[in-house]
Amino acid sequence: MQEAKVAAILGAGAWGTTLAQLLRSNGLEVRQWSRRSETSLAATLAEADLWIMAVSMAGLASVADQVAALQLGDRAIWVSATKGLADLGWRTPSQVLSDRFPLQPITVLSGPNLSKEISQGLPAATVIASRDRHAAAVVQQAFASDRFRVYTNRDPLGTELGGALKNVIAIAVGVCDGLCLGANARSALVTRALAEILRVGAYFGARTETFFGLSGLGDLLATCTSPLSRNYQVGFRLAQGESLAAALTAIAATAEGVSTARVLAQLASREGLELPIAACVAELLDNRISPTTAIERLMARDLKAELVRENQNVASNTLPLAIAEPLAMKKTYVLDTNVLLHDPMALFRFEDNDLVIPITVIEEIDRFKKDLNERGRNARQISRLLDGFRSKGHLIEGITLDHGGKLRVVMLEKTFLEQLPSGLIANANDNAILAVALALQQQNGQPTILVTKDTNLRIKADATGLCAEDYESDKIDFSELYSGTAEVYLAPDQLQVFRREGGLDLSGEFFPNQALTLVDETNLSHTLLGRYRASDRRVVPLIQPPKMGISRIHARNREQQFALDLLLDDNIQLVTLVGKAGTGKTLLAVAAGLHKVADERHFSRLLVSRPIFPMGRDLGFLPGDLQEKLAPWMQPIIDNLDFILGGANNNGDRPSNKQQNYQDLMGMNLLQIEPLTYIRGRSIPRQFMIVDEAQNLTPHEIKTILTRAGEGTKIVLTGDAYQIDNPYVDASSNGLTYVVEKFKNEAIAGHITLERGERSPLAELSANLL
Ligand SMILES: NC(=O)C1=CN([C@@H]2O[C@H](COP(=O)(O)OP(=O)(O)OC[C@H]3O[C@@H](n4cnc5c(N)ncnc54)[C@H](O)[C@@H]3O)[C@@H](O)[C@H]2O)C=CC1
Ligand SMILES: O=C(CO)COP(=O)(O)O
């Protein structure tokens, strides 16, 4: 891990100065700039490892523009320490930065951090949030000390929203305290404010959990309970009868809540979000209501329930009980054919909401019921389920599902089609489904949502004013996918113990078989590699491949070493390798499989398979026998086998005497290469099975394969979640992603995400850019 040595801080107010103090005491060279300083912006930023933005929101975009104009390259890591929300486009500070510096790593620093306490040396904790784990770790190291505890987080958006929104609430609480309304009122205000913050977070797509962390609840508590908060002081002074201008002059510093309240009021009125506290604060700041009226208005709101389940289609069982306004009404979800064909159990995943299946969907499902593939099986399962429901009543009238929602089949009426915009052809099935959903929306008192995996139908729905959603109940947040690796910082003597004793007890929280890089905390370039053994909570060394390599293949980077370790361990029955093209995932899997089958004879056969989805345009009719027809799809596997068996070394050089070829191995029954379709339905004992391109499978299809594993079989799933040819899955909903998440707690499974391309600089750049 790179270590930050020089930091440039933009902004010389209370926060910028405190951050400079923290970094200097950690031994970093710190340069500070403000709009009034003599040193130039360019000189401040040049060669610095960290660029820290600590100016007020009002100045952030213009300072960022000045930096961008300097064109200083994209090496430095940005740290955004500003807490606010831009009035144009409701952008957060880090989003304003990433608009201008798309190639630079961007991190957010936010938490309960009243600068005065920190500058006095009192203990505090904060969060460094970033999608870029490496950048977050560098910034974490730079700031962390025995009085400033730094946590990382992967939700910069939620982290920033928590920091920006609590400023508005601090003004409200300042008013409440200024009016001497007591502790009960203050607690009620802060708690209901959290509901408001959650609502804004949900609107922007931030993670709910983040708002219960340091940058959310933590900062809310700090700012709403300390008179050191400038925002709180503004509210307090307003309650005393001071004007806003007088209050701001008195505090002589930035109170971001003033502009953020106005931005939120705008957001609430334009987007229909219910943000009563922010709206009252905005009116109060603009002198449109008095402090007393603001409080009265909040108290006089409609009576309602406190806790509600978020009624959402999206993995709702994983959402905590959210403190949110009741969504009062049930929703009607109209299901498209592809949703049911993708997951017949979708019928049970919409909680107590009502479900509608247009008759066109039933007709479409009927067409697939004879298919001998996954889709056919799902079609038959839906028919069986619906047939079973008939015992509960007439489907046309609606039957009540176990969760309390109603399910009904709706006929297509002529009048429905007549309501479609004239540009849409009335006899297309998609449009018939759209017509039913639109008609229900008009008839229904409750919100109506079309659920479809067809992007174009969602666009059409949008264009006709109908709300549409993807079906997401089996989606995993791909950006949050478990990587299988972690870094652990240890004292030098612990590393010595690990080396000497072949293992070390570890106290942290790790997943079984997680690959660990043990870093010497006194010398970050000194590292050792190991794997976490959950049974006795120890990190143990990786399996050492023979000097000759595995089928003459050598790991070229750390992730490949981790992958080989999992592939070579016979106790691990399921290995998942995710990585873009050129990271070596298939090559390593095939090399390990050949080694295990041909050299160690641990498995009776290497079975390599991939689902058949044409890349790009379908090749159409192909001449030849079955093997010849399938050759284009299986060729990438054959290329890997040729590479290994041809004896090529990692540099592509081949020795003159050619080794066995893959046909010899097939002749000896040690190797089988088959499309996945032929493998279903079999039991697969004592085989080393590789399913390549597993990202093209649905979760259900992968389940079918894994449940076929016989005694002594090892299954390796490889794939690239960004290269999906199956139109009904995406990076988050495909079977490979699903398996990685579902198996991460299991001792018989291991996963590695390979990031580094090893094919060629061109292949690496193309995989990243295109
Ligand atoms: N003071 C604190 O305890 C903390 C503050 N923050 C955030 O850090 C940011 C800065 O806060 P403070 O340093 O406390 O405020 P401050 O009022 O003490 O300093 C503001 C800084 O921003 C600069 N600035 C303001 N308007 C500008 C413009 N139009 N163009 C260029 N520069 C401009 C000022 O020159 C000054 O350097 C705010 O977003 C605040 O919410 C975050 C955590 C803690
Ligand atoms: O963000 C802060 C504490 O975390 C500082 O709050 P004030 O800007 O209200 O002083």
Side-chain angles (χ1 to χ4, degrees), residues 10-19 32-36 53-63 66 80-84 93 109-118 126 163-164 166-167 219 228-231 251-257:
L10 309 185
W15 193 216
T17 307
T18 306
L19 292 174
Q32 207 170 351
W33 173 93
S34 86
R35 55 187 157 166
R36 296 193 182 88
M53 183 62 93
V55 301
S56 318
M57 194 68 208
L60 184 124
S62 81
V63 173
Q66 292 170 50
S80 170
T82 304
K83 291 177 180 173
L109 185 154
S110 191
N113 298 151
L114 295 156
S115 58
K116 199 157 196 169
E117 291 185 0
I118 296 175
T126 203
K166 62 83 197 173
N167 284 332
D219 205 2
L228 285 178
S229 157
R230 284 93 38 105
N231 288 291
I251 64 165
T254 310
E256 295 282 20

Side-chain angles (χ1 to χ4, degrees), residues 598-612:
D599 301 343
E600 289 189 2
R601 305 267 165 174
H602 192 85
F603 298 92
S604 59
R605 188 163 42 178
L606 170 61
L607 174 58
V608 193
S609 192
R610 31 164 40 203
I612 294 186

